[in-house]
Amino acid sequence: MSEQQAVLSKPRDLDSREGGAASGIRSELLKGVPIRARHLTVNGIATSVLQAGSGPSLVLLHGGIECGGVYWAPVISRLADSYRVVVPDVPGLGESAPAATLDAAAFEDWFSALLRLTCNDKPTLVAHSLLGTFAARFAAQHGQLLSGLFIYGAPGVGPYRMPLALLVTAIRFDLRPSERNNERFERLAFLDLDRARRQDAEWFKAFSAYALSCAIVPHVKRTMRQLIRIGTKQVPDTELRRSEVPTALLWGRHDRFVPLRLAEGASARLGWPLHVIDQAGHVPHLEQPDAFLAALHSALASSHPERTRKP
């Protein structure tokens, strides 16, 4: 796909949301972040992409969250000091239009096209949670497109069984995406939600409101179900070992969604370095952004010294 085919227009089925309250909340989440927002047609799918900074390409791939990549906002500015940061919304989440089906093959086709459109070099990929499982498969099949991979809190790198508390909370939220059920979900995701909120109360209020506004959209609900079904399945070790992409693991020590022991097992079996972030649950980049950035920069410096401009 050529650059000319990357149509800079808003997805037709998102126009009403762009003009409404959800768009205003999203703008609040990105206030002060030096990003360029683009809408590209990627492999036939209208895709929202945030870009910032210059230097080696660093792609931030969000997890299974209704609001998409905007939840990287608290760390984008600092990463953009050293890297050319690319933050897409996966099809069907955030501001991206849905795919007919978002299975592993559809994701690989979309993501390959996205990288060709947005990166002039082989990027390093940081992939969180359910999309980390997709990224692990992608690296095994399309490693020539990546220079490195950081799998961040992803269930698919080991034998995973969804914790009962998470299963019940996810079902409740899917059936009734209310403020109360959203808070239940957030309290599981964070080690200490109240402490995290005190970092920037207004941002976290907007974050919760935007995620909730996305969660009521039918195609978002459908996409989330597809991601959960596929992203919680283990990628066989035989497949993971085929990947020639330098790979490391990033994990919150107190992750209640995907326990640290799963990452420790993957590290031992596959020889992937494991970087653990203390005092954090499933979303350290929101809960402990300084520690997350320190761990990521350290990991990048050790595995890709030639691509690291600043410590």
Side-chain angles (χ1 to χ4, degrees), residues 8-268:
L8 300 180
S9 59
K10 293 180 180 179
R12 182 176 301 172
D13 61 342
L14 297 179
D15 283 348
S16 60
R17 293 179 58 209
E18 285 286 330
S23 179
I25 300 171
R26 181 178 170 91
S27 296
E28 286 296 311
L29 292 173
L30 294 168
K31 184 184 295 183
V33 182
I35 57 95
R36 178 190 178 199
R38 308 175 70 192
H39 285 86
L40 311 179
T41 298
V42 181
N43 207 41
I45 298 169
T47 300
S48 175
V49 182
L50 306 176
Q51 294 180 319
S54 62
S57 295
L58 179 68
V59 177
L60 304 179
L61 190 61
H62 63 80
I65 186 166
E66 291 84 357
C67 65
V70 73
Y71 82 156
W72 291 107
V75 297
I76 289 175
S77 294
R78 289 164 66 183
L79 288 171
D81 287 340
S82 304
Y83 301 97
R84 182 173 177 274
V85 181
V86 178
V87 185
D89 286 350
V90 166
L93 299 180
E95 302 300 317
S96 288
T101 301
L102 192 61
D103 56 15
F107 170 81
E108 290 173 12
D109 289 345
W110 169 83
F111 196 56
S112 297
L114 177 88
L115 294 183
R116 287 192 289 269
L117 281 169
T118 60
C119 300
N120 295 324
D121 57 350
K122 291 184 180 181
T124 298
L125 172 62
V126 181
H128 187 214
S129 194
L130 296 175
L131 270 298
T133 301
F134 283 72
R137 291 185 184 276
F138 182 87
Q141 299 293 328
H142 304 279
Q144 74 280 4
L145 297 179
L146 300 174
S147 70
L149 172 63
F150 291 88
I151 297 175
Y152 171 30
V157 297
Y160 179 72
R161 184 174 183 179
M162 186 180 292
L164 181 59
L166 174 58
L167 178 62
V168 171
T169 302
I171 291 172
R172 275 179 171 172
F173 187 69
D174 178 64
L175 293 175
R176 190 177 181 217
S178 64
E179 289 184 9
R180 184 177 180 183
N181 285 335
N182 188 49
E183 172 134 348
R184 287 189 175 113
F185 208 91
E186 290 179 343
R187 290 201 177 277
L188 273 181
F190 290 77
L191 174 63
D192 188 335
L193 177 61
D194 296 325
R195 182 185 61 194
R197 284 173 170 170
R198 286 194 293 270
Q199 297 176 58
D200 189 337
E202 289 303 312
W203 190 91
F204 274 92
K205 182 179 179 181
F207 168 61
S208 297
Y210 182 59
L212 190 56
S213 77
C214 293
I216 64 175
V217 178
H219 74 247
V220 171
K221 292 169 73 73
R222 184 175 68 249
T223 300
M224 287 293 298
R225 292 168 186 159
Q226 293 172 348
L227 291 183
I228 292 169
R229 185 175 66 253
I230 299 169
T232 54
K233 292 181 180 178
Q234 182 177 3
V235 182
D237 283 356
T238 51
E239 187 171 349
L240 295 176
R241 289 193 176 99
R242 287 205 302 269
S243 174
E244 297 181 358
V245 179
T247 302
L249 302 167
L250 289 171
W251 233 265
R253 185 172 297 281
H254 305 282
D255 193 331
R256 289 188 285 251
F257 282 17
V258 189
L260 178 60
R261 64 179 178 273
L262 185 142
E264 292 171 334
S267 178

